[in-house]
Amino acid sequence: MAQQCREKWRRGDWEGLLSLSLDDVERHPQRARLALMIASAHQAQGDHAHTRTLTGLAMQWGCSGHLVARVLLAGIHNTLGRAAVASGKLRDRALHHFDQAVAPGGPRGARRLALHQRVQSQLSQLQMTAETGRLLDGNRTSAMPAPPLVATPLRELHDGLRQQGEMLLAQIVDQQRRMDRMHKQIEQTVTREALNAVRQIEAHSRIERYLGSELVPALHGWPISADFGVLLLDLVERNDYDLIIEFGSGSSTVLMATAVKRLATKRAQAGRPPTHLLALEHLEEYHQQTHAMLAAADLTNTVQLALAPLQAVTLVDGRIFQYYDARKAISEAVASLPHPPGDLRVLLMVDGPPATTGPRARYPAVPLTLEFLFGARIDVLLDDYRREDEQRVAEAWMVDLQGRGLTPKLTAYSLEKDACLISV
């Protein structure tokens, strides 16, 4: 099939190429080049819609943009050669165009036969068979007589095809550039995802060693990612917080509770009470799931797990948000501590409520907490920092804290879903 197509293309047998079944072409191992040859047949017939479709398939199946451009440019030379013959141009001009029309078909040494076949085919289609010998064997400076009433329509056809051919080539070049950019983006995405997979496996292994394989909660997708879990453990162990308030419970609750329980002995030796861990959850279903995970890890006494349904919460500046019904739980947690807010080290872990709650859904965490803990040393850890809404929330927190005369510092972490830490 491939050899027959090449023969048809060399002769300029466009009708023969157009009769091929696209289903047969698609199953052929050389389908890219076959599609390109059929595209050139559509081009010769002035069917530019099918030309674009077939060239797109050819590139999708492996043809380079350079080869596509060469073949389509060869089609334009074929049209120019026909126009030169029909309009009485010099023989060498017509031969030059026909020679360029078969140039992509093989090495220079094999083009003479292809050139003869193409000239014979094209002059036959023009009903100028008698002029074939004059064109191929005559004097190079001899003029070809133009048949009456044919030259003007062919000139118009030539000009129209040339303009459309130039437009088509420009579109193909642009398509190739887009495909190159897409290929580069795919490579970058694959590389990024592969590196992320390695990081998540390493982080999960570290958490597994920390908790024990039987207690490791789900750490991907909807819950926190493993690399975020490692960051969370590092913060809790390194900073020895007096109070941790978590907005949105789940896997992170188990991790922090484990760290808090391990730090309790050290704090007791220093005459300090255990870290108070308050986890707020607005849905009964997830509240029960978190409670079950804590029970399985023997951590229920380490965490104050509060069901705090979402409700209209009015902040001190008068703005209203749908947020956790948390004022009472936070007030009681602060009141239970033996030291005033100015002597406390506090972590706010903000991973809720969901973004579907509304714009800047997580914003109230900081202003609500500052009602009870102004003056404390506070770290605010925000998950999902890759999302634009979370970035806007962090910016608003920075502005608010600075407006209160505080000096916040923001640190961004490149994680699977990104995170940021604001330290006050």
Side-chain angles (χ1 to χ4, degrees):
M1 181 178 180
Q3 182 61 33
Q4 292 176 351
C5 283
R6 281 192 289 270
E7 291 294 332
K8 293 179 186 295
W9 184 87
R10 278 197 291 265
R11 292 197 306 271
D13 181 6
W14 313 128
E15 294 294 339
L17 285 171
L18 294 177
S19 67
L20 296 174
S21 167
L22 189 57
D23 290 338
D24 292 338
V25 170
E26 187 172 3
R27 290 191 292 268
H28 197 278
Q30 298 182 34
R31 60 181 183 174
R33 289 179 177 268
L34 296 180
L36 185 53
M37 285 186 281
I38 298 173
S40 68
H42 282 293
Q43 179 194 27
Q45 299 295 322
D47 186 348
H48 299 290
H50 281 93
T51 303
R52 285 191 292 270
T53 299
L54 268 296
T55 52
L57 285 175
M59 295 175 72
Q60 180 182 333
W61 290 339
C63 274
S64 67
H66 177 70
L67 178 58
V68 170
R70 283 188 64 205
V71 170
L72 293 182
L73 184 60
I76 295 174
H77 277 292
N78 188 79
T79 301
L80 293 174
R82 289 167 61 99
V85 169
S87 59
K89 297 291 183 182
L90 294 178
R91 169 182 175 273
D92 57 349
R93 181 70 58 83
L95 282 178
H96 166 74
H97 286 305
F98 284 130
D99 181 63
Q100 292 300 308
V102 297
R108 182 90 185 170
R111 273 165 47 185
R112 182 170 180 79
L113 176 59
L115 173 61
H116 278 247
Q117 292 176 334
R118 180 62 66 90
V119 168
Q120 291 170 356
S121 171
Q122 297 305 298
L123 267 62
S124 175
Q125 293 176 23
L126 291 171
Q127 298 181 351
M128 297 177 65
T129 306
E131 305 298 334
T132 303
R134 188 194 300 260
L135 179 61
L136 292 173
D137 303 319
N139 186 280
R140 290 188 61 83
T141 59
S142 62
M144 298 294 298
L149 304 178
V150 176
T152 298
L154 282 176
R155 283 197 190 98
E156 293 175 354
L157 175 63
H158 155 241
D159 292 339
L161 286 177
R162 178 177 55 80
Q163 292 173 2
Q164 293 187 23
E166 290 172 353
M167 292 174 57
L168 182 60
L169 281 175
Q171 291 173 356
I172 290 171
V173 170
D174 181 63
Q175 183 181 21
Q176 179 64 32
R177 288 172 180 166
R178 290 199 303 268
M179 291 183 68
D180 289 342
R181 286 196 299 269
M182 186 180 300
H183 180 71
K184 186 175 294 185
Q185 290 171 355
I186 291 172
E187 285 185 338
Q188 292 172 347
T189 300
V190 170
T191 300
R192 184 172 60 249
E193 291 300 323
L195 291 174
N196 177 64
V198 172
R199 285 198 300 267
Q200 298 310 315
I201 291 172
E202 292 174 345
H204 194 278
S205 296
R206 179 175 171 183
I207 292 173
E208 188 176 65
R209 290 193 299 272
Y210 188 89
L211 298 180
S213 58
E214 299 83 4
L215 301 178
V216 177
L219 294 171
H220 193 74
W222 186 263
I224 62 169
S225 299
D227 52 2
F228 183 85
V230 169
L231 171 63
L232 188 57
L233 287 174
D234 285 343
L235 286 173
V236 174
E237 289 205 331
R238 185 171 67 247
N239 295 311
D240 192 18
Y241 297 104
D242 300 297
L243 172 63
I244 299 174
I245 303 176
E246 181 184 25
F247 296 92
S249 71
S251 305
S252 53
T253 312
V254 178
L255 296 182
M256 290 189 295
T258 303
V260 165
K261 187 175 183 178
R262 294 190 179 190
L263 290 170
T265 302
K266 179 180 176 182
R267 289 178 65 90
Q269 291 172 350
R272 301 164 63 197
T275 301
H276 190 113
L277 173 54
L278 169 62
L280 302 165
E281 177 56 59
H282 70 287
L283 292 175
E284 175 68 31
E285 176 186 357
Y286 292 115
H287 179 270
Q288 293 178 1
Q289 288 182 10
T290 302
H291 186 274
M293 287 191 292
L294 292 170
D298 193 23
L299 294 170
T300 51
N301 294 329
T302 309
V303 183
Q304 179 188 348
L305 179 62
L307 182 62
L310 300 184
Q311 66 173 22
V313 173
T314 304
L315 302 180
V316 292
D317 61 4
R319 284 184 291 175
I320 300 175
F321 289 81
Q322 286 294 314
Y323 205 65
Y324 300 98
D325 180 15
R327 279 194 171 99
K328 181 179 179 182
I330 295 174
S331 175
E332 292 175 350
V334 174
S336 69
L337 299 174
H339 303 291
D343 296 331
L344 298 177
R345 186 71 186 265
V346 180
L347 171 65
L348 304 185
M349 212 296 277
V350 185
D351 193 26
T356 53
T357 305
R360 300 191 181 185
R362 299 179 180 181
Y363 170 76
V366 170
L368 190 64
T369 303
L370 287 180
E371 293 179 19
F372 306 95
L373 288 165
F374 189 83
R377 296 173 59 192
I378 300 177
D379 287 339
V380 185
L381 182 62
L382 177 63
D383 195 11
D384 301 310
Y385 190 56
R386 180 165 297 181
R387 298 194 306 219
E388 183 177 356
D389 197 60
E390 272 62 28
Q391 294 171 17
R392 302 290 83 81
V393 166
E395 290 172 2
W397 285 342
M398 293 292 287
V399 171
D400 290 351
L401 293 168
Q402 291 166 354
R404 289 171 174 254
L406 302 172
T407 306
K409 175 186 176 183
L410 188 150
T411 304
Y413 295 91
S414 179
L415 306 175
E416 183 176 49
K417 294 183 286 188
D418 289 347
C420 80
L421 177 70
I422 297 178
S423 299
V424 185

